[in-house]
Amino acid sequence: MMAMSTTSPTTTLSSSSSSSSPSSLSLPRPATIGRDALYLVAGLPAGVVTFSVLVTGLATAAGLAVTLLGIPVLLATLIAARAMGDVERRRAGWVLADGAVRRTDRLWRGGLWSRFTASATDVGAWRDTVWGLILLPLGTFGFSVAVTLWSSAVGFITQPLWYWAVPDDSDTNNDALQFLSSHAAGPQAARVAAGLVLIPVAIFICRALADATARSARALLQH
């Protein structure tokens, strides 16, 4: 007679699912936290560069459209857009958990006119251009959020080390200002506690914002 298995399928399923699915509230690894913060902070200078290059190139090409000089200018602008798009693909893939952002390698060969027509009709090049233009507001927002959250958390936690140099405005009638400026032990302890609370808040907000920004980059740059 064959031996009957005493293992319940429901028990097996529940035990395997509980062991393979981590808690959604667990903190990311330190490397992930660092990548998120660096990705968001670097978004501002990257956006300044891409926006400046592309707006200058497109405006110059449009101004020279009545002459043949607009052709090489637009070609150079689209080449720059593709190169900066490659950088942004690598940056987004550095943050995304499911791998790099790839693009189809479309070669622009031949003479000046052949390269120009190939680039001007390449939808991927224009998608790279669109991302380079919208990266500035996105990067500015991400930079502001990351710097504000992390600087506030670190500042609150470390304030017992340096707050002695800040004038004591405990005479003010504003409770909020008194909490922020008082040198008394109670307000200082409360500020340290607030900084400790801000750390997981900064981690989760930066994780969500970095992931959303990188996924937006993949939506435009993967082609």
Side-chain angles (χ1 to χ4, degrees), residues 5-219:
S5 174
T6 59
T7 303
S8 170
T10 304
T11 304
T12 304
L13 179 60
S14 60
S15 61
S16 61
S17 62
S18 61
S19 60
S20 61
S21 59
S23 174
S24 59
L25 295 179
S26 60
L27 290 176
R29 294 180 299 173
T32 302
I33 297 172
R35 283 197 297 265
D36 291 341
L38 184 59
Y39 179 75
L40 293 174
V41 170
L44 176 57
V48 170
V49 171
T50 59
F51 187 87
S52 302
V53 171
L54 294 176
V55 167
T56 301
L58 293 174
T60 304
L64 297 174
V66 294
T67 70
L68 294 178
L69 293 178
I71 294 176
V73 172
L74 182 58
L75 175 60
T77 303
L78 293 177
I79 291 174
R82 171 183 277 188
M84 292 184 293
D86 287 338
V87 174
E88 284 300 302
R89 275 180 276 272
R90 292 191 178 188
R91 279 208 323 128
W94 191 50
V95 171
L96 292 171
D98 48 358
V101 180
R102 298 176 177 85
R103 71 168 172 86
T104 303
D105 190 15
R106 302 179 181 90
L107 299 179
W108 302 341
R109 293 176 175 173
L112 176 61
W113 180 252
S114 298
R115 290 173 181 265
F116 169 73
T117 54
S119 63
T121 56
D122 189 343
V123 177
W126 291 105
R127 292 174 69 172
D128 292 346
T129 302
V130 171
W131 177 257
L133 295 175
I134 67 175
L135 180 58
L136 180 58
L138 291 177
T140 302
F141 179 72
F143 177 93
S144 302
V145 171
V147 169
T148 299
L149 288 174
W150 280 111
S151 61
S152 298
V154 174
F156 279 151
I157 292 173
T158 61
Q159 52 87 34
L161 302 176
W162 52 265
Y163 206 71
W164 56 268
V166 178
D168 189 354
D169 293 333
S170 57
D171 294 336
T172 180
N173 294 325
N174 191 309
D175 294 337
L177 293 178
Q178 187 172 3
F179 168 78
L180 293 173
S181 61
S182 176
H183 288 199
Q188 290 209 41
R191 288 193 293 268
V192 172
L196 293 174
V197 171
L198 272 177
I199 288 181
V201 173
I203 290 174
F204 284 117
I205 290 180
C206 289
R207 173 88 283 269
L209 185 56
D211 184 71
T213 305
R215 289 181 182 275
S216 299
R218 182 171 59 187

